[in-house]
Amino acid sequence: MRQNSLNRFLVLFVLTGILVLSACYSTRIKEYYKEKDNFVTATGTIIHIAYSKDNTELYLGFSDLTPTFDDICFKIVGDNLSIVQKNNIDEKIKIGDTIEFITAPRYFGDGYVMPMVAVSVNGEELLEFEEGYANFLKWLEAQKQL
């Protein structure tokens, strides 16, 4: 009986620790993105274009990134995806094109993909920063898990 109580306590302790760490991680990400000064303008040559299986995220991979980042993959999500699609991103970009975009360069570990909150192709703005930034913060707040 005593061993069962100890086992339950250990399981509860571990689960509580995981929940606390997860909440801290989520808060840290949200606090980072709330600072507009964390966002930078970048350019890169597209080497990969793919939608998520449910078509809710557009992933772009780059070579020749300026400045350099911890990863080469970025994503467009939420209302920002709808905006760039309405502005014909699928017809206006292809592998080998160089585009300009705005992102925040902090990399939050394996599997994390940095967001794009503004996109320009050949001088044409497909997603403007102020709108893209506000939309991304709204999307981020709606996420239950990061």
Side-chain angles (χ1 to χ4, degrees):
M1 187 71 133
R2 190 171 189 180
Q3 184 65 32
N4 284 341
S5 295
L6 180 60
N7 287 342
R8 279 191 228 137
F9 172 77
L10 287 174
V11 168
L12 183 60
F13 181 76
V14 169
L15 289 176
T16 301
I18 290 170
L19 288 173
V20 168
L21 290 175
S22 178
C24 290
Y25 178 76
S26 176
T27 300
R28 195 173 66 196
I29 289 172
K30 290 175 183 176
E31 289 302 314
Y32 173 75
Y33 286 123
K34 285 181 182 176
E35 295 294 324
K36 277 187 178 180
D37 291 341
N38 289 332
F39 288 83
V40 297
T41 300
T43 59
T45 303
I46 299 172
I47 59 171
H48 176 81
I49 303 169
Y51 280 92
S52 61
K53 288 181 183 178
D54 61 2
N55 291 318
T56 60
E57 299 173 325
L58 174 59
Y59 293 91
L60 300 172
F62 294 92
S63 66
D64 306 320
L65 277 169
T66 304
T68 57
F69 297 95
D70 288 335
D71 200 356
I72 62 169
C73 189
F74 299 81
K75 68 182 176 182
I76 303 172
V77 296
D79 290 341
N80 291 341
L81 180 57
S82 299
I83 292 168
V84 296
Q85 286 173 324
K86 189 167 75 174
N87 290 326
N88 298 313
I89 194 169
D90 294 324
E91 290 81 38
K92 293 181 179 177
I93 65 167
K94 63 184 181 310
I95 292 178
D97 288 347
T98 298
I99 70 168
E100 183 175 276
F101 60 97
I102 296 178
T103 189
R106 186 160 177 197
Y107 184 68
F108 287 95
D110 286 347
Y112 187 79
V113 181
M114 293 173 276
M116 296 171 74
V117 297
V119 179
S120 296
V121 178
N122 297 322
E124 180 184 353
E125 200 169 57
L126 302 182
L127 176 63
E128 130 351 269
F129 174 72
E130 289 299 329
E131 183 177 26
Y133 172 75
N135 288 339
F136 178 69
L137 289 182
K138 183 175 73 172
W139 176 86
L140 196 59
E141 283 300 321
Q143 300 306 297
K144 303 231 185 295
Q145 296 178 6
L146 295 175

